[in-house]
Amino acid sequence: MSDKEAALANLQKIQAEGLAALEAVTEQEELEAWRVATLGRSSPVMGVFSSMGAMDQDLRPVMGKAANEVRTTLEAAFEAKRAALEEAALLKELETEKLDVTLPGRPVERGRLHPLTQVLRRIIRTFGDMGFQVYRSPEVETDDYNFTYLNMPPYHPARDMWDTFYTKDEGVLLRTHTSGGQIRVMRERAPEPIRVILPGTTMRYEQLSARSEIEFAQVEVLVVGEKVTFAELKGTLEDFAKRLFGEEARTRLRPSHFPFTEPSAEMDVECFVCGGKGCGVCKETGWLEILGCGMVHPVVLENGGYDPARYSGFAAGMGIDRSTLMRYRIDDIRHFRNNDIRFLRQF
Ligand code: DAH
């Protein structure tokens, strides 16, 4: 074998070994190692190039061409392998990210209305059916609307019935009841007849306990017109109670006192827990108090812009937290505003 033949055979061997080694490569890192070993500066094929200076003149062009071909072949094989590995990696990724459109969807959790909102909406709907409009009045109220115009001038002892949150602003407070809204409706509507309810949040400076909260909700009722009588008060409120609690629900009126009504009363409904037999909820009386009411006091009518000689009216106010508590037999009023999802989920 001549030198030339031996050198060319060596090149063929380099190429064959390189390709064989590439055949075995399955990972990106292996491929890089192969590139360094086979085409890098100290690889066999590069060794052939650097040894050319020592070759015979006539051998050089032949060897240079052959070595170039081997290098090109190896480089092309490398490129092909690189592309193949890349594609395989992509396919594998697609495989694991595969989307099965036949899988059932993840259930979306349904929200629901807060129990107080549910009760409030039922009350609003019931009065709506009876021809009442809804009127909104502010939660931050003036002392005048909350007390004075309701027949309780400054220092009037009846103000003590409501423990009040006052603000830094003189004469501005958080309303202790929705009754102040009565004056706002009257001043807006006088001398038109009125038939409205005023639902909303009220606040009192109370010791927090299982039975009392500083924040609660009330619904105020106001009817004003010519010849509005106590009989209409009784009929309307009884009708309301039957619509809300059921046709069999019995009610009773007890005399009471409020500064803004004269005469005043409180309405009880037969205990819906025991049906009137007496139980822990109604404290063995068989009755549950649901609202305060009365004929609008002449002073209040006048403050609202209605001449009490010509107009009369009745009003009522009910708290909805306590009755919701009783209805669902909730043991602690503070659950309502704790926002504990485990509590709220039950309604
Ligand atoms: N505002 C009273 C309270 O919070 C409830 C009330 C009683 C409202 C009699 C009225 C009423 O409109 O006539 O205790």
Side-chain angles (χ1 to χ4, degrees):
M1 202 194 285
S2 70
D3 280 358
K4 182 182 160 191
E5 280 169 342
L8 285 175
N10 183 43
L11 268 175
Q12 285 312 309
K13 192 174 155 242
I14 289 171
Q15 176 172 315
E17 280 174 3
L19 291 177
L22 189 60
E23 194 71 14
V25 166
T26 55
E27 305 282 342
Q28 298 279 2
E29 303 86 72
E30 285 172 20
L31 183 63
E32 182 55 18
W34 180 91
R35 194 191 60 76
V36 172
T38 317
L39 289 162
R41 228 177 296 146
S42 35
S43 62
V45 69
M46 289 311 184
V48 173
F49 284 113
S50 40
S51 67
M52 283 213 317
M55 283 181 197
D56 287 347
Q57 282 283 11
D58 56 337
L59 205 58
R60 276 185 216 167
V62 185
M63 284 309 294
K65 188 166 173 263
N68 254 332
E69 274 168 16
V70 168
R71 189 173 63 177
T72 312
T73 302
L74 289 172
E75 275 174 358
F78 169 78
E79 265 313 312
K81 188 75 177 185
R82 200 187 53 73
L85 284 183
E86 224 162 61
E87 191 180 312
L90 196 71
L91 278 174
K92 202 167 151 194
E93 200 177 304
L94 284 176
E95 185 81 7
T96 52
E97 277 184 1
K98 188 163 62 179
L99 182 71
D100 183 353
V101 292
T102 65
L103 279 175
R106 290 194 195 96
V108 176
E109 254 207 86
R110 270 173 89 194
R112 59 201 80 195
L113 294 175
H114 191 283
L116 287 175
T117 307
Q118 291 183 29
V119 171
L120 197 57
R121 288 201 181 175
R122 269 193 72 203
I123 292 173
I124 291 173
R125 210 180 312 125
T126 304
F127 275 112
D129 290 344
M130 295 165 70
F132 283 76
Q133 294 176 314
V134 173
Y135 188 94
R136 298 272 173 189
S137 75
E139 291 168 12
V140 178
E141 190 50 287
T142 65
D143 183 285
D144 284 342
Y145 280 94
N146 198 77
F147 291 123
T148 310
Y149 302 148
L150 292 175
N151 201 24
M152 288 176 277
Y155 306 108
H156 193 288
R159 287 177 170 226
D160 289 350
M161 286 168 73
W162 297 272
D163 299 299
T164 310
F165 281 115
Y166 291 93
T167 69
K168 281 188 196 148
D169 294 319
E170 178 73 25
V172 179
L173 46 75
L174 306 185
R175 67 174 173 191
T176 58
H177 51 183
T178 44
S179 302
Q182 289 186 27
I183 305 289
R184 292 186 177 272
V185 190
M186 285 192 268
R187 290 190 170 182
E188 204 177 289
R189 301 274 173 93
E192 298 295 319
I194 294 170
R195 205 173 174 77
V196 297
I197 57 168
L198 301 99
T201 300
T202 48
M203 278 141 285
R204 287 185 199 170
Y205 184 46
E206 305 261 4
Q207 173 67 52
L208 282 175
S209 75
R211 304 272 305 153
S212 68
E213 251 280 15
I214 57 173
E215 183 187 330
F216 53 101
Q218 280 192 340
V219 176
E220 190 82 11
V221 183
L222 178 67
V223 173
V224 178
E226 289 180 75
K227 305 189 184 72
V228 174
T229 63
F230 197 91
E232 191 174 338
L233 173 155
K234 189 164 182 274
T236 305
L237 296 181
E238 272 176 7
D239 186 17
F240 162 73
K242 286 191 190 308
R243 285 167 186 256
L244 194 69
F245 298 111
E247 198 54 45
E248 341 63 55
R250 293 205 302 151
T251 54
R252 72 177 185 190
L253 282 173
R254 280 179 292 105
S256 185
H257 173 77
F258 298 100
F260 31 89
T261 44
E262 181 57 37
S264 304
E266 277 173 325
M267 195 166 96
D268 299 338
V269 63
E270 210 165 32
C271 179
F272 42 68
V273 174
C274 63
K277 286 195 265 309
C279 68
V281 176
C282 59
K283 300 202 185 89
E284 309 302 331
T285 63
W287 295 94
L288 295 170
E289 184 208 316
I290 58 164
L291 55 82
C293 57
M295 299 307 291
V296 181
H297 197 285
V299 169
V300 175
L301 280 173
E302 212 164 284
N303 287 336
Y306 287 83
D307 176 4
R310 185 165 168 201
Y311 297 92
S312 56
F314 73 83
M318 64 193 84
I320 68 162
D321 293 58
R322 289 253 170 87
S323 52
T324 307
L325 212 63
M326 294 184 280
R327 159 147 304 229
Y328 296 112
R329 309 214 205 164
I330 297 162
D331 60 357
D332 195 316
I333 201 167
R334 289 167 291 193
H335 286 314
F336 283 145
R337 289 171 174 83
N338 272 351
N339 281 337
D340 186 332
I341 199 77
R342 293 168 303 177
F343 168 77
L344 297 170
R345 267 210 188 104
Q346 299 173 73
F347 301 93

